Every structure is written in structure tokens, then in C-alpha cells.
Amino acid sequence: MSDYINLVKLCVGVDSFDQLQAYIDATPGEARGHVTRMWPKQADALLNGGSLYWVIKGVIQARQLITGLEEVIGADGVRRCRIVLAKPLIRTQNATRRPFQGWRYLKPEDAPADLPKGRESEQELPPELAQTLAEIGLI
């Protein structure tokens, strides 16, 4: 059993890996974060090598290494958690996910593998085709 855990999160408002990559590239600095209402209960395990896996159009397509957790107080005075993410977006093999709210823990053995070296820049499949192929276990 590994000593780290991952998160999986819907990437709302993003239609493709390339669109998420462009958003990350436009963000200044080495790292960026995603702000969420809840503080992860397994924070130590997340910070021990965990990644945030992004679900784009019903399919996990990418991940980013989690490098920190920071407290953020919103304008409304509510305490939130910023999940600090390393800037490189890593393309993964596709894995379908049903819709859910918030984020979920993802065990390392259940996480899709990174695309092999040399395949990271392959043209992205249309989301519907990628989802169908993942559902039948071809990708």
C-alpha cells in the first residue's frame, strides 16, 4: 500500500486538455492553485506525492502534482483551502468518471497512468470518442 493519495476533480468550463493547458500557461508564476470549500482530511498523504487528476468532459485526461495546501479567507469571511499545484500539466491515459460534486480521493492503484514518453503531444481525441473508447477499455 502506498503512503500517498490523489484527488480527482471535475474541470468545469474546460472542454479539452489543450484548453486547460492554455489556462495554466497564462497563469503567472511556477505554481497555481485551485480553491475549494473543504480542507482535505488526508492532507499529509496528499502532500507526500499526491496529484490532482482533472476530469474533462467525463474523462480523466490530466494531472498536476499537489505541492501545498494553503488557507484562504474569502471576501465573505469563509475559510477555504487552496490546493497548490505544480505548473506542468501531465497528460494521462483516459479514464471515464461519472459526474460528482467537489473532489474525491483517488488511490494510486486506481489512477490512470501517465501517457508514455513520446505520446504526450499526440493530438487529442474528440471528447465523445475518447469517452467511448475508455468505456470499452481500449484506451
Side-chain angles (χ1 to χ4, degrees), residues 79-96:
R79 177 182 182 251
R80 293 181 172 86
C81 177
R82 174 181 291 122
I83 303 168
V84 182
L85 303 167
K87 200 155 190 179
L89 183 65
I90 301 164
R91 194 175 228 160
T92 64
Q93 294 179 355
N94 290 344
T96 58

Side-chain angles (χ1 to χ4, degrees), residues 3-26:
D3 52 353
Y4 72 93
I5 192 97
N6 302 299
L7 293 178
V8 63
K9 173 108 179 72
L10 298 180
C11 196
V12 178
V14 171
D15 293 328
S16 68
F17 175 90
D18 292 334
Q19 186 180 1
L20 179 57
Q21 183 67 64
Y23 176 75
I24 291 168
D25 290 345

Side-chain angles (χ1 to χ4, degrees), residues 48-111:
N48 199 27
S51 291
L52 181 91
Y53 284 77
W54 290 111
V55 178
I56 303 168
K57 294 292 187 185
V59 179
I60 294 177
Q61 297 183 33
R63 72 176 181 90
Q64 287 179 276
L65 183 66
I66 298 171
T67 60
L69 300 173
E70 300 174 347
E71 181 179 65
V72 176
I73 305 296
D76 56 3
V78 174
R79 177 182 182 251
R80 293 181 172 86
C81 177
R82 174 181 291 122
I83 303 168
V84 182
L85 303 167
K87 200 155 190 179
L89 183 65
I90 301 164
R91 194 175 228 160
T92 64
Q93 294 179 355
N94 290 344
T96 58
R97 282 292 184 268
R98 295 186 192 274
F100 59 90
Q101 290 187 352
W103 43 262
R104 299 287 183 265
Y105 288 110
L106 179 65
K107 295 177 186 175
E109 59 268 21
D110 296 332

